[in-house]
Amino acid sequence: MTIQSLRTGVSLLALMAVPFSASSLAAQQADPVTLQPVVVEIAPLKSTQEELVEGSTVLTGDDLERRRAPTLGETLARTPGVANSDFGPGAGRPVIRGQGAARVRVLQNGLDTFDASTASPDHAVVIPMESAERVEVLRGPAALLYGSSAVGGVVSVTDGRIPIRRPKDLVEGMARLGFSTGSSALEGFGSASLAAGNNVVLHLEGFSSDANDYRVNGYASDEAREEGLKGKVENSAVERSGGSVGASYLGEHGYAGFAVSGYSSLYGVPGGHAHHEEEDHEEEDEDHEHEHGGVRVDMQQTRYDARFGLYEPLPFLEEASLRLGHADYRHLELEGDEVGTLFENRGWEGRLDLTHKPIFGLKGVFGVQASRRDFQAVGEEAFVPPTITDNAALFLVERYETGPWQFTGGGRLETQTVEADGLGMERDFTAVSVSAGASYRLSSDYSIGLSLSRTERAPNAEELFSDGPHLATNSYEIGNTELDKEEALHAELSLRKTRGPVTGAVNLFATRYRDYIFRDFTGGERDGLDELRYRQTDADFHGLEVEAAWTFLERPGLALSLDGSLDYVRAENRETGDALPLIPPLGYNIGINAYTNHVDYRLELAGATEQDRTGANETSTDGYAFLNASLAFRPIAGSDDFILQVQGRNLTDSEGRNHISLLKDEAPLRGRELRVVGTVRF
């Protein structure tokens, strides 16, 4: 394969791409063929996207604001390789390349979220998207740094609760206020950092959001159609509020920071049918639509975070970084005014990263990690007994560069103990994961890379010890105390073009599982619910992701570009050849952008194709296409001190259903809505 043929192939991807950031216009004008490299901070050694073989996404600034949604899963749903588990506007967890829950690690400021989101899709991820400053996705195995629960990928959300830099002036901060028509949603966020002397920085932030039941076009469910009811999805209202107080000491030889934060959320779990649209919308808003029947989740969390670092603590170390986190989490599942089930999770995690200086050309990081999860559920839907899960791990990642070649390698040794005192049972596991990769710079514009890994994942408490009714999945779940570790062999091949008017990437991946843990509907019933048992089989996942962007016009004060992306994954039971359930269909996103000194515009078409390759007890889903538009207005050219954003989502009011959502028949995707957001920085 010649360099010219590679250039031609990537150039054909110009309509399938990563969106340009609006804030990159100035950089484009300064250098029309080179963009600043994007650093993926959760990647080993804080690699740039150019250096990584695995697919990655980084959302900041206008890109993040355009996608910002009530949940992390919904925020990332239009990014390559990522889908949303989608249990209504209150609960949505990222699914990466068809894998979610215990196979995707979600981090908040580098540590666990300490919630119950892996136990059930109706449990929310405790990350307030109102305060998110940066969201990163690393697709593919990242277990070497973040544990066996990252075998499918890692999602990291960063906020400013622990200050990491001193304000330029005495005080700096921001305020954001937004409104969305589709659910009459009002959201607000504010933060301020104060320099107390030369080294101490204080930080305060808070947020609040309130959304009514969201609007859909037509009938939300078959039941609604039979009753002639159309309009909004019943019991989908969400209220959230919270905040944090933090402080840091930023010294010449190191730093130390601490934060205390609180989070509360009250959200409904959609079900049944949509109610009538009222002619008197003002009266509807006054009633606030929060008095619906059905299950609601009342959630609270108090969290404590600490972060410490030393620069060159020893002659051979560049930096030693320690993160500590602890949280008390609980949520009540309310059936009307009655408490159905109480879920509690008390957890802590600690992580020490040691970055060493180059040794014989090797640059790397090694460290230790430990955590504890004390989980219990009490009530009608307590399908998991009280359990304590302890983890401890050692890890090492190294990089070596010579000429156009770059090599990476590493390993992780992890132990896990899951104890269920009430059952008098305990399971112990030791997991070993290794990886190796190589990339070659074909020219200043092109690079190609290959990564191979073997990872092991120990089963979690839900997979081992479940035994009870689980209404969220309409099943009676039965765990398997004899489950063994999963083993995954993963290969990924990438081709990237990082410079010039056309940029892009192609990622091909394949994962072969041995003893893959899955939920098997047996065909029987228990207590009127479908019987579900955790079993193991061999499974295969493979697919691709394509991204590209083309700046086809560039002159002072104006840049025009096309971009887009598509992703596809196929998964099957290797023993039977049957499709695995809840695998997203092919997704796509195509957009055109115009960037000027004061206003940035974007028009895009985003959607998914039909998914008729279904697993047991799973129905097919039609494809859909949503037309979206947005603009960002800056009164002061080149300044982000004030930005007004206007976004139109699903402008044609099309109907769409998320195939991997267990509520797809009761809760379609949002109908047409308008969102207006104003941001002020000082």
Side-chain angles (χ1 to χ4, degrees):
M1 180 180 292
T2 66
I3 299 299
Q4 183 60 40
S5 64
L6 289 173
R7 289 175 178 164
T8 302
V10 174
S11 297
L12 292 175
L13 305 175
L15 296 180
M16 307 173 191
V18 182
F20 271 34
S21 169
S23 61
S24 67
L25 175 60
Q28 294 172 6
Q29 292 172 344
D31 185 346
V33 296
T34 303
L35 298 179
Q36 292 297 317
V38 177
V39 176
V40 185
E41 295 181 354
I42 59 172
L45 302 173
K46 294 185 178 181
S47 305
T48 66
Q49 289 182 308
E50 181 179 350
E51 294 171 328
L52 290 172
V53 175
E54 295 84 3
S56 62
T57 298
V58 178
L59 297 181
T60 59
D62 290 344
D63 278 350
L64 175 57
E65 192 57 57
R66 188 170 61 247
R67 291 176 169 86
R68 196 184 300 270
T71 66
L72 178 61
E74 188 175 354
T75 299
L76 293 172
R78 286 183 289 145
T79 60
V82 185
N84 179 21
S85 63
D86 191 4
F87 225 81
R93 202 172 193 276
V95 174
I96 300 178
R97 295 174 172 176
Q99 301 179 78
R103 296 184 185 91
V104 171
R105 186 82 195 272
V106 178
L107 306 173
Q108 184 175 14
N109 297 311
L111 294 176
D112 195 68
T113 55
F114 305 114
D115 53 38
S117 62
T118 60
S120 176
D122 63 326
H123 299 171
V125 178
V126 182
I127 293 182
M129 295 310 299
E130 293 83 356
S131 61
E133 297 178 350
R134 182 183 182 94
V135 181
E136 299 181 352
V137 180
L138 185 59
R139 306 186 291 272
L144 294 179
L145 287 183
Y146 298 105
S148 60
S149 59
V151 64
V154 179
V155 177
S156 175
V157 179
T158 303
D159 56 38
R161 63 183 57 182
I162 296 181
I164 58 174
R165 63 177 182 85
R166 189 182 187 279
K168 294 180 180 179
D169 300 316
L170 180 64
V171 179
E172 70 176 27
M174 68 164 294
R176 183 175 61 246
L177 185 64
F179 178 77
S180 299
T181 61
S183 56
S184 298
L186 184 64
E187 61 180 271
F189 170 77
S191 68
S193 295
L194 170 67
N198 293 327
N199 301 105
V200 177
V201 182
L202 307 178
H203 182 82
L204 176 67
E205 65 180 45
F207 68 90
S208 179
S209 65
D210 193 353
N212 295 326
D213 292 346
Y214 72 89
R215 179 186 175 280
V216 295
N217 176 27
Y219 301 98
S221 64
D222 290 339
E223 181 181 359
R225 186 182 301 276
E226 292 174 0
E227 298 183 16
L229 302 176
K230 66 168 62 175
K232 299 186 178 182
V233 174
E234 184 176 313
N235 199 34
S236 61
V238 183
E239 297 178 14
R240 287 190 308 277
S241 62
S244 66
V245 178
S248 292
Y249 176 86
L250 306 175
E252 181 179 354
H253 301 291
Y255 55 88
F258 180 78
V260 181
S261 59
Y263 178 96
S264 65
S265 176
L266 177 64
Y267 62 90
V269 177
H273 54 265
H275 60 75
H276 285 291
E277 287 185 309
E278 301 291 341
E279 294 182 2
D280 187 353
H281 293 285
E282 293 181 0
E283 180 180 350
E284 181 182 77
D285 288 343
E286 291 175 359
D287 291 341
H288 215 250
E289 302 181 354
H290 286 185
E291 302 302 324
H292 298 155
V295 175
R296 293 175 298 149
V297 176
D298 186 0
M299 174 192 301
Q300 294 88 32
Q301 186 192 72
T302 301
R303 176 171 174 143
Y304 308 88
D305 285 281
R307 183 175 178 180
F308 306 93
L310 289 174
Y311 306 125
E312 298 189 345
L314 294 171
F316 63 93
L317 291 180
E318 287 186 356
E319 182 180 351
S321 173
L322 174 66
R323 299 175 190 257
L324 300 170
H326 168 77
D328 290 323
Y329 166 96
R330 63 178 295 175
H331 83 243
L332 303 173
E333 297 193 350
L334 306 174
E335 301 173 5
D337 294 327
E338 301 294 326
V339 177
T341 310
L342 166 66
F343 289 85
E344 292 184 316
N345 184 34
R346 299 187 65 188
W348 63 263
E349 183 175 19
R351 179 185 179 84
L352 175 65
D353 291 85
L354 302 171
T355 304
H356 69 74
K357 296 179 180 179
I359 302 174
F360 302 112
L362 290 172
K363 182 177 176 61
V365 57
F366 60 98
V368 296
Q369 182 177 353
S371 65
R372 166 168 280 211
R373 176 182 186 243
D374 187 348
F375 178 81
Q376 66 174 338
V378 180
E380 297 178 359
E381 202 180 338
F383 62 96
V384 183
T387 58
I388 295 177
T389 303
D390 290 307
N391 282 82
L394 301 171
F395 58 85
L396 168 70
V397 176
E398 297 288 340
R399 175 186 296 161
Y400 178 77
E401 296 185 35
T402 176
W405 288 96
Q406 176 181 279
F407 301 94
T408 59
R412 181 183 178 97
L413 174 65
E414 179 175 324
T415 63
Q416 175 175 295
T417 299
V418 185
E419 181 180 2
D421 277 344
L423 302 178
M425 298 191 66
E426 177 179 304
R427 291 293 310 276
D428 298 304
F429 301 92
T430 299
V432 178
S433 300
V434 294
S435 74
S439 62
Y440 180 78
R441 182 171 295 282
L442 297 164
S443 70
S444 61
D445 295 349
Y446 291 86
S447 64
I448 189 169
L450 173 67
S451 69
L452 303 171
S453 65
R454 176 190 177 276
T455 60
E456 293 182 333
R457 183 183 76 88
N460 62 22
E462 290 77 15
E463 294 164 335
L464 289 168
F465 300 123
S466 291
D467 188 5
H470 190 187
L471 300 183
T473 58
N474 194 35
S475 63
Y476 191 101
E477 294 197 8
I478 303 172
N480 184 347
T481 59
E482 301 300 318
L483 291 177
D484 202 355
K485 296 177 295 183
E486 286 182 346
E487 177 186 304
L489 299 176
H490 179 85
E492 187 152 350
L493 178 66
S494 69
L495 171 65
R496 304 186 188 281
K497 185 177 187 295
T498 57
R499 293 172 178 83
V502 175
T503 58
V506 180
N507 283 76
L508 305 175
F509 63 88
T511 307
R512 169 158 287 206
Y513 280 96
R514 184 173 66 85
D515 293 332
Y516 179 82
I517 300 172
F518 73 108
R519 298 184 301 173
D520 179 31
F521 285 93
T522 65
E525 288 190 357
R526 296 200 45 181
D527 295 346
L529 298 171
D530 295 332
E531 184 180 82
L532 182 157
R533 291 182 178 271
Y534 284 93
R535 302 186 189 277
Q536 291 187 285
T537 188
D538 295 335
D540 289 330
F541 287 72
H542 61 269
L544 81 162
E545 294 143 3
V546 183
E547 311 168 75
W550 175 31
T551 301
F552 59 88
L553 176 65
E554 191 166 22
R555 62 181 60 172
L558 175 65
L560 301 178
S561 68
L562 289 171
D563 65 59
S565 65
L566 67 81
D567 56 79
Y568 172 77
V569 61
R570 180 184 177 97
E572 65 183 20
N573 184 325
R574 194 160 69 247
E575 294 181 355
T576 65
D578 296 333
L580 292 178
L582 301 180
I583 300 300
L586 184 148
Y588 59 87
N589 190 311
I590 302 173
I592 184 170
N593 308 278
Y595 304 123
T596 70
N597 288 329
H598 291 281
V599 186
D600 303 324
Y601 306 88
R602 176 174 175 82
L603 181 68
E604 71 175 16
L605 185 68
T609 61
E610 177 188 16
Q611 179 60 292
D612 56 5
R613 194 171 187 275
T614 58
N617 299 303
E618 185 182 27
T619 58
S620 61
T621 309
D622 293 334
Y624 64 89
F626 289 172
L627 181 66
N628 307 313
S630 65
L631 67 84
F633 171 62
R634 293 172 173 81
I636 305 174
S639 172
D640 289 339
D641 288 347
F642 176 73
I643 304 175
L644 178 65
Q645 292 196 335
V646 181
Q647 304 165 17
R649 298 175 174 176
N650 191 6
L651 293 175
T652 57
D653 207 19
S654 301
E655 179 180 341
R657 297 183 185 266
N658 179 3
H659 179 77
I660 69 170
S661 171
L662 295 176
L663 294 182
K664 67 181 182 182
D665 294 328
E666 291 83 13
L669 297 172
R670 298 175 185 271
R672 179 171 50 235
E673 66 177 6
L674 178 70
R675 181 173 182 252
V676 181
V677 183
T679 303
V680 178
R681 291 180 172 83
F682 57 88

